[in-house]
Amino acid sequence: MTSTTTRFDTRLAPCGRQVRGEQFVTEDQQGLTTRDLRFDCGCQTHHEEFHDGSVHNQVVNHHGKVVADEELRGE
C-alpha cells in the first residue's frame, strides 16, 4: 500500500473560492484508490475507486453540508 500527501496551490473549492489545500492519495496496488482533497477553507472532496470498478464521490462544503454523494457501480 502506498500513501502520498501533497500540498497544492489554489484550486476551485466546492464553495466557489480559489484556495490552497492538501491532497491525500492511497493505493493498495490491487485496484483500490482513495483520493481526498482538503481545502484550507474547510471544504473536502473524497473519491474512492474500488477493485470492481465502482466509484464513490462525496463533496462537503466548509459548513459541513454534503453537496454531492454518489456511487457508480462497476461490473
Side-chain angles (χ1 to χ4, degrees):
M1 180 176 273
T2 61
S3 295
T4 58
T5 301
T6 55
R7 189 98 182 121
F8 59 82
D9 287 328
T10 56
R11 285 192 192 177
L12 185 63
C15 65
R17 297 177 187 174
Q18 290 283 342
V19 294
R20 295 179 176 161
E22 290 183 309
Q23 175 175 275
F24 304 90
V25 178
T26 304
E27 297 179 75
D28 75 352
Q29 308 305 321
Q30 296 176 2
L32 176 65
T33 303
T34 302
R35 185 176 62 246
D36 291 310
L37 296 178
R38 296 185 190 157
F39 296 86
D40 290 348
C41 63
C43 291
Q44 298 180 31
T45 64
H46 181 71
H47 176 85
E48 292 177 300
E49 294 178 22
F50 297 94
H51 304 101
D52 66 355
S54 298
V55 176
H56 177 239
N57 290 306
Q58 186 177 54
V59 180
V60 180
N61 71 17
H62 59 265
H63 297 294
K65 180 180 179 185
V66 176
V67 294
D69 193 2
E70 65 180 357
E71 288 187 27
L72 306 170
R73 295 289 173 193
E75 296 182 39

